[in-house]
Amino acid sequence: MGNKEKFFAEIEQGYAMKGDYITLGAGMLDGEAITNALINVPLKTLNRHGLIAGATGTGKTKTLQVLAENLSDKGIPVLLMDLKGDLSGIAQPGPGHPKIDERHQKIGIPFEPKSFPVEILSLSEQGGVRLRATVSEFGPVLLSRILDLSETQEGIVAVVFKYCDDHKLPLLDLKDFKKVLQYATEEGKDEFQSSYGRISTSSTGTILRKIIELEQQGADLFFGEKSFEVDDLVRIDEKGRGYINIIRLTDIQDRPKLFSTFMLSLLAEIYSTFPEQGDSDRPELVLFIDEAHLIFDNASKALLDQIESIVKLIRSKGIGLYFVTQNPTDVPDDVLAQLGLKVQHALRAFTAKDRKAIKLTAQNYPITEFYDTSEVLTSLGTGEALVSVLDEKGRPTPLAATLMRAPMSRMDILTDDELKNVLEQSKLIKKYNEEIDRESAYEILNEKIEKAEKEAEKEKEQRPTSRSSSTRRSARMNPVVKVLTSATFIRGVMGVLKKMMR
Protein backbone atom coordinates (compact mmCIF):
# COMPACT_ATOMS: atom_id res chain seq x y z
CA MET A 1 0.00 0.00 0.00
CA GLY A 2 1.41 3.39 -1.02
CA ASN A 3 1.69 6.37 1.33
CA LYS A 4 -1.31 8.07 -0.28
CA GLU A 5 -3.54 4.99 0.09
CA LYS A 6 -2.34 4.50 3.67
CA PHE A 7 -3.17 8.13 4.50
CA PHE A 8 -6.62 7.85 2.88
CA ALA A 9 -7.38 4.69 4.87
CA GLU A 10 -6.34 6.33 8.15
CA ILE A 11 -8.46 9.42 7.51
CA GLU A 12 -11.46 7.36 6.36
CA GLN A 13 -11.30 5.18 9.46
CA GLY A 14 -10.48 7.97 11.93
CA TYR A 15 -13.23 10.31 10.72
CA ALA A 16 -16.01 7.75 10.06
CA MET A 17 -19.07 8.70 12.13
CA LYS A 18 -22.17 6.66 13.02
CA GLY A 19 -24.18 9.65 14.20
CA ASP A 20 -24.78 13.07 12.63
CA TYR A 21 -21.78 15.23 11.75
CA ILE A 22 -20.59 18.23 9.76
CA THR A 23 -17.80 18.19 7.16
CA LEU A 24 -14.95 20.69 7.34
CA GLY A 25 -13.02 19.69 4.22
CA ALA A 26 -10.65 17.03 2.86
CA GLY A 27 -7.30 15.77 4.17
CA MET A 28 -4.11 16.85 2.41
CA LEU A 29 -0.85 15.00 1.88
CA ASP A 30 2.29 16.59 0.46
CA GLY A 31 0.37 19.82 -0.15
CA GLU A 32 -2.40 18.21 -2.25
CA ALA A 33 -6.01 17.51 -1.25
CA ILE A 34 -7.03 13.84 -1.25
CA THR A 35 -10.54 13.82 -2.73
CA ASN A 36 -13.18 12.23 -0.47
CA ALA A 37 -10.75 11.93 2.47
CA LEU A 38 -13.39 13.91 4.36
CA ILE A 39 -12.70 15.53 7.74
CA ASN A 40 -15.91 15.16 9.73
CA VAL A 41 -16.82 16.55 13.16
CA PRO A 42 -19.46 14.61 15.13
CA LEU A 43 -22.26 16.71 16.62
CA LYS A 44 -22.03 14.52 19.72
CA THR A 45 -18.69 16.02 20.86
CA LEU A 46 -19.22 19.64 19.83
CA ASN A 47 -19.96 20.51 23.48
CA ARG A 48 -16.32 19.59 24.26
CA HIS A 49 -15.30 23.07 23.12
CA GLY A 50 -12.64 24.04 20.59
CA LEU A 51 -9.98 26.39 19.28
CA ILE A 52 -9.58 28.12 15.92
CA ALA A 53 -6.15 29.74 15.65
CA GLY A 54 -3.83 31.17 13.03
CA ALA A 55 -2.04 34.28 11.83
CA THR A 56 -3.93 37.22 10.32
CA GLY A 57 -5.27 36.47 6.83
CA THR A 58 -5.01 32.67 7.02
CA GLY A 59 -8.77 31.97 7.09
CA LYS A 60 -9.85 31.81 10.76
CA THR A 61 -12.99 33.89 10.21
CA LYS A 62 -14.04 31.79 7.20
CA THR A 63 -13.61 28.59 9.25
CA LEU A 64 -15.79 30.12 11.96
CA GLN A 65 -18.35 31.00 9.28
CA VAL A 66 -18.33 27.45 7.86
CA LEU A 67 -18.90 25.94 11.31
CA ALA A 68 -21.70 28.40 12.12
CA GLU A 69 -23.50 27.76 8.80
CA ASN A 70 -23.37 23.99 9.11
CA LEU A 71 -24.51 24.06 12.72
CA SER A 72 -27.45 26.27 11.72
CA ASP A 73 -28.32 23.82 8.94
CA LYS A 74 -28.42 21.05 11.56
CA GLY A 75 -30.88 23.05 13.69
CA ILE A 76 -28.27 24.15 16.26
CA PRO A 77 -28.34 27.87 17.24
CA VAL A 78 -25.07 29.79 17.26
CA LEU A 79 -23.73 32.93 18.94
CA LEU A 80 -20.88 34.80 17.22
CA MET A 81 -18.73 37.68 18.49
CA ASP A 82 -18.11 39.96 15.50
CA LEU A 83 -15.27 42.30 16.46
CA LYS A 84 -14.14 43.06 12.92
CA GLY A 85 -17.61 43.53 11.45
CA ASP A 86 -17.23 40.96 8.67
CA LEU A 87 -19.73 38.27 9.72
CA SER A 88 -23.05 39.94 8.93
CA GLY A 89 -22.85 38.59 5.35
CA ILE A 90 -24.10 35.23 6.70
CA ALA A 91 -27.59 36.67 6.14
CA GLN A 92 -27.03 36.64 2.35
CA PRO A 93 -26.10 33.73 0.01
CA GLY A 94 -22.56 33.62 -1.38
CA PRO A 95 -22.20 34.75 -5.03
CA GLY A 96 -20.06 31.74 -5.91
CA HIS A 97 -16.80 31.73 -7.84
CA PRO A 98 -14.94 29.34 -10.18
CA LYS A 99 -12.16 28.98 -7.58
CA ILE A 100 -14.71 27.92 -4.96
CA ASP A 101 -16.12 25.31 -7.35
CA GLU A 102 -12.60 24.05 -8.01
CA ARG A 103 -11.88 23.84 -4.28
CA HIS A 104 -15.05 21.82 -3.60
CA GLN A 105 -14.32 19.53 -6.50
CA LYS A 106 -10.98 18.70 -4.91
CA ILE A 107 -12.67 18.09 -1.56
CA GLY A 108 -15.39 15.90 -3.03
CA ILE A 109 -18.52 17.76 -1.88
CA PRO A 110 -20.77 20.13 -3.90
CA PHE A 111 -20.91 23.87 -3.25
CA GLU A 112 -24.39 25.28 -2.58
CA PRO A 113 -24.88 29.05 -1.97
CA LYS A 114 -27.21 29.72 0.98
CA SER A 115 -28.34 32.46 3.35
CA PHE A 116 -29.07 31.78 7.01
CA PRO A 117 -31.41 33.18 9.66
CA VAL A 118 -29.53 35.97 11.45
CA GLU A 119 -30.23 38.08 14.55
CA ILE A 120 -28.04 41.17 15.07
CA LEU A 121 -27.25 41.97 18.72
CA SER A 122 -25.45 44.96 20.22
CA LEU A 123 -23.74 45.91 23.49
CA SER A 124 -23.56 49.59 22.57
CA GLU A 125 -25.67 52.13 20.72
CA GLN A 126 -25.09 50.40 17.37
CA GLY A 127 -28.18 49.03 15.63
CA GLY A 128 -29.31 45.65 16.90
CA VAL A 129 -31.00 43.92 19.81
CA ARG A 130 -29.71 45.58 22.99
CA LEU A 131 -28.01 43.24 25.45
CA ARG A 132 -28.39 44.23 29.10
CA ALA A 133 -28.18 42.71 32.56
CA THR A 134 -29.00 44.14 35.98
CA VAL A 135 -26.45 44.47 38.78
CA SER A 136 -28.62 42.16 40.91
CA GLU A 137 -28.39 39.44 38.27
CA PHE A 138 -24.63 39.79 38.25
CA GLY A 139 -24.48 39.09 41.97
CA PRO A 140 -21.76 40.06 44.48
CA VAL A 141 -19.25 37.34 43.55
CA LEU A 142 -19.20 37.97 39.79
CA LEU A 143 -19.20 41.74 40.23
CA SER A 144 -16.25 41.50 42.63
CA ARG A 145 -14.35 39.30 40.16
CA ILE A 146 -14.92 41.76 37.33
CA LEU A 147 -13.79 44.69 39.50
CA ASP A 148 -10.77 42.70 40.76
CA LEU A 149 -11.49 43.49 44.42
CA SER A 150 -9.60 42.42 47.52
CA GLU A 151 -11.13 40.08 50.07
CA THR A 152 -12.15 42.99 52.31
CA GLN A 153 -13.73 44.86 49.41
CA GLU A 154 -15.57 41.70 48.30
CA GLY A 155 -17.06 41.56 51.82
CA ILE A 156 -18.33 45.13 51.47
CA VAL A 157 -19.95 44.31 48.11
CA ALA A 158 -21.63 41.28 49.72
CA VAL A 159 -22.93 43.51 52.56
CA VAL A 160 -24.32 46.03 50.05
CA PHE A 161 -26.22 43.27 48.23
CA LYS A 162 -27.49 41.91 51.58
CA TYR A 163 -28.67 45.37 52.66
CA CYS A 164 -30.52 45.84 49.37
CA ASP A 165 -32.14 42.40 49.70
CA ASP A 166 -33.21 43.13 53.30
CA HIS A 167 -34.66 46.52 52.43
CA LYS A 168 -36.11 45.58 49.03
CA LEU A 169 -33.92 48.01 47.10
CA PRO A 170 -33.61 46.88 43.45
CA LEU A 171 -30.01 47.08 42.13
CA LEU A 172 -30.59 47.60 38.44
CA ASP A 173 -27.75 49.73 37.11
CA LEU A 174 -24.39 51.05 38.27
CA LYS A 175 -25.80 54.31 39.62
CA ASP A 176 -27.92 52.24 42.03
CA PHE A 177 -24.87 50.40 43.30
CA LYS A 178 -22.80 53.60 43.65
CA LYS A 179 -25.62 55.29 45.56
CA VAL A 180 -25.86 52.47 48.12
CA LEU A 181 -22.07 52.52 48.58
CA GLN A 182 -22.12 56.27 49.26
CA TYR A 183 -25.12 55.92 51.58
CA ALA A 184 -23.30 53.23 53.60
CA THR A 185 -20.52 55.65 54.61
CA GLU A 186 -22.49 58.91 54.78
CA GLU A 187 -26.20 59.36 55.61
CA GLY A 188 -26.78 55.67 56.41
CA LYS A 189 -23.52 55.11 58.28
CA ASP A 190 -25.18 54.46 61.66
CA GLU A 191 -27.83 52.21 60.11
CA PHE A 192 -25.20 50.07 58.39
CA GLN A 193 -22.93 49.93 61.42
CA SER A 194 -25.70 48.76 63.77
CA SER A 195 -26.85 45.93 61.47
CA TYR A 196 -23.83 44.95 59.37
CA GLY A 197 -20.74 46.37 61.06
CA ARG A 198 -18.55 49.36 60.22
CA ILE A 199 -17.73 49.96 56.57
CA SER A 200 -14.42 51.60 55.71
CA THR A 201 -14.64 54.76 53.61
CA SER A 202 -11.25 54.03 52.03
CA SER A 203 -12.53 50.62 50.81
CA THR A 204 -15.75 52.04 49.41
CA GLY A 205 -13.70 54.77 47.72
CA THR A 206 -11.58 52.13 45.98
CA ILE A 207 -14.68 50.23 44.84
CA LEU A 208 -16.25 53.42 43.49
CA ARG A 209 -13.12 54.23 41.49
CA LYS A 210 -13.15 50.77 39.91
CA ILE A 211 -16.83 51.14 39.02
CA ILE A 212 -16.09 54.49 37.35
CA GLU A 213 -13.30 52.79 35.36
CA LEU A 214 -15.82 50.18 34.21
CA GLU A 215 -18.33 52.92 33.30
CA GLN A 216 -15.70 54.67 31.16
CA GLN A 217 -15.51 51.53 29.01
CA GLY A 218 -19.25 51.72 28.36
CA ALA A 219 -20.59 49.41 31.07
CA ASP A 220 -23.31 51.92 31.97
CA LEU A 221 -24.97 50.92 28.67
CA PHE A 222 -24.79 47.24 29.57
CA PHE A 223 -26.14 47.38 33.13
CA GLY A 224 -29.85 48.04 33.31
CA GLU A 225 -33.23 46.87 32.08
CA LYS A 226 -34.66 45.16 30.16
CA SER A 227 -32.47 42.15 30.87
CA PHE A 228 -31.73 39.87 27.94
CA GLU A 229 -33.15 36.36 28.34
CA VAL A 230 -30.65 33.73 27.17
CA ASP A 231 -33.51 31.49 26.00
CA ASP A 232 -33.84 33.87 23.05
CA LEU A 233 -30.45 32.65 21.80
CA VAL A 234 -31.77 29.17 21.04
CA ARG A 235 -34.50 29.99 18.54
CA ILE A 236 -35.21 27.89 15.44
CA ASP A 237 -36.70 29.35 12.24
CA GLU A 238 -39.66 27.96 10.28
CA LYS A 239 -37.31 25.77 8.18
CA GLY A 240 -35.84 24.10 11.24
CA ARG A 241 -32.54 25.99 11.07
CA GLY A 242 -30.91 27.44 14.16
CA TYR A 243 -30.60 31.22 14.38
CA ILE A 244 -27.09 32.65 14.03
CA ASN A 245 -26.91 35.44 16.63
CA ILE A 246 -24.20 37.97 15.74
CA ILE A 247 -23.04 40.43 18.40
CA ARG A 248 -21.65 43.57 16.79
CA LEU A 249 -18.54 44.53 18.76
CA THR A 250 -16.69 46.72 16.27
CA ASP A 251 -16.84 49.74 18.57
CA ILE A 252 -15.59 48.05 21.77
CA GLN A 253 -12.33 46.53 20.56
CA ASP A 254 -10.43 48.99 22.76
CA ARG A 255 -12.61 48.23 25.79
CA PRO A 256 -11.64 44.70 26.89
CA LYS A 257 -13.10 45.24 30.38
CA LEU A 258 -16.60 45.63 28.93
CA PHE A 259 -16.10 42.64 26.62
CA SER A 260 -14.95 40.34 29.43
CA THR A 261 -17.72 41.67 31.72
CA PHE A 262 -20.34 40.78 29.14
CA MET A 263 -18.85 37.37 28.30
CA LEU A 264 -18.58 36.29 31.92
CA SER A 265 -22.12 37.50 32.64
CA LEU A 266 -23.49 35.67 29.60
CA LEU A 267 -21.73 32.38 30.40
CA ALA A 268 -22.81 32.54 34.04
CA GLU A 269 -26.43 33.24 33.02
CA ILE A 270 -26.44 30.38 30.49
CA TYR A 271 -24.95 28.00 33.05
CA SER A 272 -27.52 28.91 35.71
CA THR A 273 -30.47 28.87 33.27
CA PHE A 274 -29.95 25.88 30.99
CA PRO A 275 -30.89 22.42 32.33
CA GLU A 276 -28.36 19.64 32.82
CA GLN A 277 -28.06 17.59 29.66
CA GLY A 278 -25.10 15.28 30.16
CA ASP A 279 -23.94 13.41 27.05
CA SER A 280 -26.42 14.02 24.24
CA ASP A 281 -26.27 13.59 20.48
CA ARG A 282 -26.01 17.32 19.76
CA PRO A 283 -25.30 20.62 21.54
CA GLU A 284 -28.04 23.07 22.50
CA LEU A 285 -25.98 26.16 21.65
CA VAL A 286 -22.48 26.86 20.32
CA LEU A 287 -20.63 30.11 21.09
CA PHE A 288 -17.70 31.44 19.05
CA ILE A 289 -15.56 34.00 20.89
CA ASP A 290 -13.51 35.89 18.29
CA GLU A 291 -10.36 37.76 19.37
CA ALA A 292 -10.41 35.63 22.54
CA HIS A 293 -7.24 37.25 23.86
CA LEU A 294 -9.40 40.27 24.83
CA ILE A 295 -10.91 38.12 27.58
CA PHE A 296 -7.61 36.84 28.92
CA ASP A 297 -5.35 39.88 28.50
CA ASN A 298 -4.83 41.66 31.83
CA ALA A 299 -7.42 39.38 33.50
CA SER A 300 -6.90 38.90 37.22
CA LYS A 301 -6.21 35.48 38.71
CA ALA A 302 -9.72 35.43 40.21
CA LEU A 303 -11.28 36.21 36.83
CA LEU A 304 -9.24 33.53 35.06
CA ASP A 305 -10.30 30.99 37.70
CA GLN A 306 -13.93 31.93 37.11
CA ILE A 307 -13.59 31.50 33.33
CA GLU A 308 -11.80 28.17 33.71
CA SER A 309 -14.51 26.92 36.08
CA ILE A 310 -17.30 27.88 33.66
CA VAL A 311 -15.50 26.27 30.69
CA LYS A 312 -15.23 23.01 32.63
CA LEU A 313 -18.82 22.95 33.84
CA ILE A 314 -20.88 24.47 31.02
CA ARG A 315 -20.48 21.54 28.60
CA SER A 316 -22.81 19.47 30.81
CA LYS A 317 -25.51 21.99 29.82
CA GLY A 318 -24.99 21.14 26.13
CA ILE A 319 -23.03 24.33 25.40
CA GLY A 320 -19.94 24.39 23.17
CA LEU A 321 -17.37 27.21 23.49
CA TYR A 322 -14.98 27.95 20.63
CA PHE A 323 -12.13 30.42 21.11
CA VAL A 324 -10.83 32.19 18.00
CA THR A 325 -7.42 33.84 18.30
CA GLN A 326 -4.10 34.27 16.49
CA ASN A 327 -1.97 32.00 18.64
CA PRO A 328 -2.92 29.13 20.98
CA THR A 329 -0.61 30.68 23.58
CA ASP A 330 -3.18 33.52 23.89
CA VAL A 331 -5.37 31.02 25.76
CA PRO A 332 -4.33 29.95 29.31
CA ASP A 333 -3.09 26.36 29.53
CA ASP A 334 -5.87 25.31 31.92
CA VAL A 335 -8.50 26.47 29.42
CA LEU A 336 -6.59 25.11 26.41
CA ALA A 337 -6.59 21.65 28.02
CA GLN A 338 -10.43 21.66 27.90
CA LEU A 339 -10.65 22.24 24.13
CA GLY A 340 -11.42 19.09 22.12
CA LEU A 341 -11.62 20.39 18.54
CA LYS A 342 -8.56 22.22 17.21
CA VAL A 343 -8.36 23.97 13.85
CA GLN A 344 -4.90 25.45 13.43
CA HIS A 345 -4.30 27.71 10.45
CA ALA A 346 -0.83 28.81 9.43
CA LEU A 347 1.53 30.52 11.86
CA ARG A 348 4.28 32.89 10.75
CA ALA A 349 7.78 32.83 12.25
CA PHE A 350 9.37 36.28 12.07
CA THR A 351 11.25 36.20 15.39
CA ALA A 352 12.84 33.70 17.76
CA LYS A 353 9.81 34.09 20.00
CA ASP A 354 7.54 33.15 17.06
CA ARG A 355 9.60 30.01 16.35
CA LYS A 356 9.39 29.00 20.01
CA ALA A 357 5.59 29.51 19.95
CA ILE A 358 5.31 27.29 16.85
CA LYS A 359 7.21 24.48 18.57
CA LEU A 360 4.92 24.74 21.59
CA THR A 361 1.83 24.76 19.32
CA ALA A 362 3.03 21.62 17.48
CA GLN A 363 3.20 19.77 20.80
CA ASN A 364 -0.56 20.29 21.29
CA TYR A 365 -1.40 17.97 18.40
CA PRO A 366 -1.34 14.16 18.04
CA ILE A 367 1.90 12.67 16.67
CA THR A 368 1.61 11.55 13.05
CA GLU A 369 3.91 9.74 10.62
CA PHE A 370 2.59 11.81 7.70
CA TYR A 371 3.68 15.30 8.82
CA ASP A 372 6.40 17.26 10.51
CA THR A 373 3.87 19.35 12.41
CA SER A 374 6.19 22.32 13.07
CA GLU A 375 7.06 22.53 9.38
CA VAL A 376 3.46 22.17 8.18
CA LEU A 377 2.32 24.96 10.53
CA THR A 378 4.42 27.50 8.63
CA SER A 379 3.68 26.20 5.13
CA LEU A 380 -0.14 26.05 5.16
CA GLY A 381 -1.88 28.28 2.62
CA THR A 382 -4.97 30.45 3.10
CA GLY A 383 -8.00 28.26 3.75
CA GLU A 384 -5.85 25.31 4.87
CA ALA A 385 -5.49 24.11 8.46
CA LEU A 386 -4.29 21.33 10.72
CA VAL A 387 -7.35 19.67 12.22
CA SER A 388 -7.87 17.28 15.11
CA VAL A 389 -11.29 16.57 16.63
CA LEU A 390 -12.78 14.21 19.20
CA ASP A 391 -14.58 11.22 17.73
CA GLU A 392 -17.91 9.96 19.03
CA LYS A 393 -16.15 8.12 21.87
CA GLY A 394 -14.18 11.21 22.89
CA ARG A 395 -10.87 10.05 21.38
CA PRO A 396 -8.63 12.41 19.34
CA THR A 397 -8.83 11.73 15.61
CA PRO A 398 -5.69 11.48 13.42
CA LEU A 399 -4.07 14.84 12.72
CA ALA A 400 -4.94 16.03 9.21
CA ALA A 401 -3.75 18.97 7.16
CA THR A 402 -7.09 19.99 5.66
CA LEU A 403 -8.29 21.89 2.61
CA MET A 404 -11.22 23.72 4.23
CA ARG A 405 -14.57 24.05 2.46
CA ALA A 406 -15.78 27.54 1.53
CA PRO A 407 -18.64 29.35 3.32
CA MET A 408 -22.04 29.01 1.64
CA SER A 409 -23.02 32.56 2.60
CA ARG A 410 -21.46 35.86 1.58
CA MET A 411 -17.86 36.37 2.73
CA ASP A 412 -18.39 40.08 3.25
CA ILE A 413 -20.50 42.53 5.24
CA LEU A 414 -24.09 43.53 4.57
CA THR A 415 -24.83 46.84 2.88
CA ASP A 416 -26.62 49.49 4.97
CA ASP A 417 -29.95 48.70 3.27
CA GLU A 418 -29.51 44.93 3.80
CA LEU A 419 -28.64 45.47 7.46
CA LYS A 420 -31.65 47.76 7.89
CA ASN A 421 -33.86 45.04 6.40
CA VAL A 422 -32.52 42.42 8.85
CA LEU A 423 -33.15 44.77 11.79
CA GLU A 424 -36.68 45.60 10.62
CA GLN A 425 -37.57 41.90 10.50
CA SER A 426 -36.27 41.25 14.03
CA LYS A 427 -38.86 40.33 16.65
CA LEU A 428 -36.36 40.74 19.49
CA ILE A 429 -35.64 44.43 18.83
CA LYS A 430 -39.22 45.28 19.74
CA LYS A 431 -38.83 43.24 22.91
CA TYR A 432 -35.52 44.61 24.21
CA ASN A 433 -34.79 48.05 22.75
CA GLU A 434 -37.13 50.04 24.99
CA GLU A 435 -35.10 51.56 27.84
CA ILE A 436 -36.69 51.13 31.27
CA ASP A 437 -35.66 53.18 34.31
CA ARG A 438 -38.10 52.16 37.02
CA GLU A 439 -37.78 53.12 40.68
CA SER A 440 -34.75 51.39 42.14
CA ALA A 441 -32.14 51.83 44.90
CA TYR A 442 -30.96 55.19 43.55
CA GLU A 443 -34.41 56.82 43.60
CA ILE A 444 -35.51 55.17 46.86
CA LEU A 445 -32.40 56.22 48.79
CA ASN A 446 -32.49 59.75 47.37
CA GLU A 447 -36.10 60.05 48.55
CA LYS A 448 -35.15 58.67 51.97
CA ILE A 449 -32.22 61.10 52.32
CA GLU A 450 -34.35 64.05 51.19
CA LYS A 451 -37.04 63.17 53.71
CA ALA A 452 -34.48 62.88 56.51
CA GLU A 453 -32.98 66.26 55.60
CA LYS A 454 -36.41 67.95 55.65
CA GLU A 455 -37.18 66.49 59.09
CA ALA A 456 -33.80 67.65 60.41
CA GLU A 457 -34.38 71.15 59.05
CA LYS A 458 -37.83 71.27 60.60
CA GLU A 459 -36.47 70.15 63.96
CA LYS A 460 -33.72 72.76 63.77
CA GLU A 461 -36.26 75.53 63.15
CA GLN A 462 -38.34 74.47 66.17
CA ARG A 463 -35.40 73.98 68.58
CA PRO A 464 -34.70 77.68 69.74
CA THR A 465 -38.34 78.34 70.74
CA SER A 466 -38.58 75.11 72.67
CA ARG A 467 -35.35 75.83 74.54
CA SER A 468 -36.34 79.37 75.70
CA SER A 469 -39.77 78.30 76.87
CA SER A 470 -38.21 75.37 78.64
CA THR A 471 -35.75 77.71 80.37
CA ARG A 472 -38.53 80.07 81.57
CA ARG A 473 -40.59 77.15 82.74
CA SER A 474 -37.61 75.79 84.66
CA ALA A 475 -36.99 79.22 86.24
CA ARG A 476 -40.59 79.56 87.41
CA MET A 477 -40.58 76.14 88.94
CA ASN A 478 -37.19 76.55 90.74
CA PRO A 479 -38.02 76.35 94.53
CA VAL A 480 -35.09 78.58 95.59
CA VAL A 481 -36.16 81.39 93.30
CA LYS A 482 -39.74 80.90 94.42
CA VAL A 483 -38.79 81.33 98.08
CA LEU A 484 -36.53 84.33 97.48
CA THR A 485 -39.23 86.16 95.54
CA SER A 486 -42.15 85.34 97.84
CA ALA A 487 -43.95 88.13 99.74
CA THR A 488 -43.48 86.40 103.11
CA PHE A 489 -39.71 86.20 102.63
CA ILE A 490 -39.52 89.86 101.60
CA ARG A 491 -41.57 91.01 104.61
CA GLY A 492 -39.36 89.01 106.97
CA VAL A 493 -36.19 90.53 105.52
CA MET A 494 -37.62 94.03 105.80
CA GLY A 495 -38.56 93.41 109.43
CA VAL A 496 -35.00 92.31 110.27
CA LEU A 497 -33.60 95.43 108.61
CA LYS A 498 -35.92 97.74 110.59
CA LYS A 499 -34.83 96.23 113.91
CA MET A 500 -31.18 96.63 112.96
CA MET A 501 -31.71 100.27 112.04
CA ARG A 502 -33.34 100.99 115.45
Side-chain angles (χ1 to χ4, degrees), residues 450-487:
E450 189 178 334
K451 186 177 179 182
E453 286 175 348
K454 285 181 180 178
E455 288 178 356
E457 188 67 30
K458 188 177 180 181
E459 187 179 336
K460 186 178 178 181
E461 289 173 358
Q462 292 176 350
R463 198 172 295 145
T465 306
S466 301
R467 185 179 296 162
S468 60
S469 63
S470 174
T471 303
R472 287 196 300 271
R473 187 163 55 251
S474 298
R476 285 198 304 269
M477 298 303 295
N478 193 313
V480 176
V481 175
K482 189 174 181 180
V483 169
L484 290 175
T485 55
S486 67

Side-chain angles (χ1 to χ4, degrees), residues 283-313:
E284 286 294 307
L285 175 69
V286 176
L287 288 76
F288 292 89
I289 304 170
D290 200 2
E291 303 295 337
H293 63 88
L294 290 178
I295 293 181
F296 303 113
D297 283 356
N298 304 317
S300 65
K301 177 68 166 61
L303 188 57
L304 287 175
D305 288 344
Q306 186 78 16
I307 294 170
E308 182 190 340
S309 177
I310 288 176
V311 170
K312 285 179 179 178
L313 298 173

Side-chain angles (χ1 to χ4, degrees), residues 309-370:
S309 177
I310 288 176
V311 170
K312 285 179 179 178
L313 298 173
I314 204 168
R315 68 186 182 125
S316 67
K317 306 281 187 168
I319 309 299
L321 293 177
Y322 288 77
F323 298 94
V324 185
T325 188
Q326 290 197 15
N327 200 303
T329 56
D330 294 336
V331 181
D333 289 342
D334 290 336
V335 175
L336 198 60
Q338 303 296 319
L339 311 182
L341 183 148
K342 293 185 176 71
V343 180
Q344 178 65 62
H345 289 272
L347 292 175
R348 306 300 181 215
F350 298 110
T351 65
K353 186 178 179 181
D354 291 338
R355 288 190 289 273
K356 186 177 179 181
I358 288 170
K359 287 181 180 179
L360 288 172
T361 300
Q363 293 171 14
N364 290 324
Y365 291 91
I367 297 172
T368 174
E369 62 179 288
F370 298 105

